[in-house]
Amino acid sequence: QVQLVESGGGLVQPGGSLRLSCAVSGISFSSQFMNWYRQAPGEQRELVAVITSTNIASYPDSVRGRFTISRDNAKNTVYLQLNSLKPEDTAVYYCNTRYLSNEYWGPGTQVTVSS
């Protein structure tokens, strides 16, 4: 059974930082592409970071230079470092992967950026 569980969200002031974690079980983690998405109220879910099995990362323009995705294959965990946070980064952040034609999501972790 594939499971993804995010943690690390919270309330932070503009300009602050958070580190999100996603613990993965039930699959061969080291061979998986891993993704982070976010969804703000009333908005579509948005891809914010991808990391390949060979540690190549990519980001959309909206977060490039502020967010960093990384992985620890020994811990079956993918991370998302959020820096220089803005109020518009407020959203539920989700971990995601695709495996054997199926798509798997965690329950999400709330990030709120507010003074």
Side-chain angles (χ1 to χ4, degrees), residues 13-104:
Q13 293 187 342
S17 298
L18 282 174
R19 189 195 197 200
L20 308 183
S21 300
C22 173
V24 181
S25 60
I27 55 174
S28 178
F29 177 78
S30 62
S31 63
Q32 291 296 117
F33 281 41
M34 296 300 303
N35 311 303
W36 282 97
Y37 285 79
R38 68 184 179 186
Q39 188 167 23
E43 302 289 334
Q44 289 192 336
R45 200 166 287 193
E46 173 192 19
L47 179 65
V48 295
V50 179
I51 189 166
T52 71
S53 57
T54 55
N55 276 323
I56 297 172
S58 61
Y59 311 91
D61 290 344
S62 58
V63 307
R64 188 177 295 114
R66 301 189 299 120
F67 291 7
T68 303
I69 190 172
S70 61
R71 65 192 300 158
D72 185 337
N73 289 338
K75 296 182 178 179
N76 284 8
T77 300
V78 60
Y79 303 97
L80 186 67
Q81 179 69 40
L82 315 177
N83 294 332
S84 302
L85 282 163
K86 306 175 182 179
E88 52 263 42
D89 294 318
T90 295
V92 179
Y93 284 71
Y94 298 92
C95 181
N96 163 271
T97 194
R98 296 170 184 86
Y99 178 65
L100 297 180
S101 301
N102 294 317
E103 197 160 14
Y104 296 94

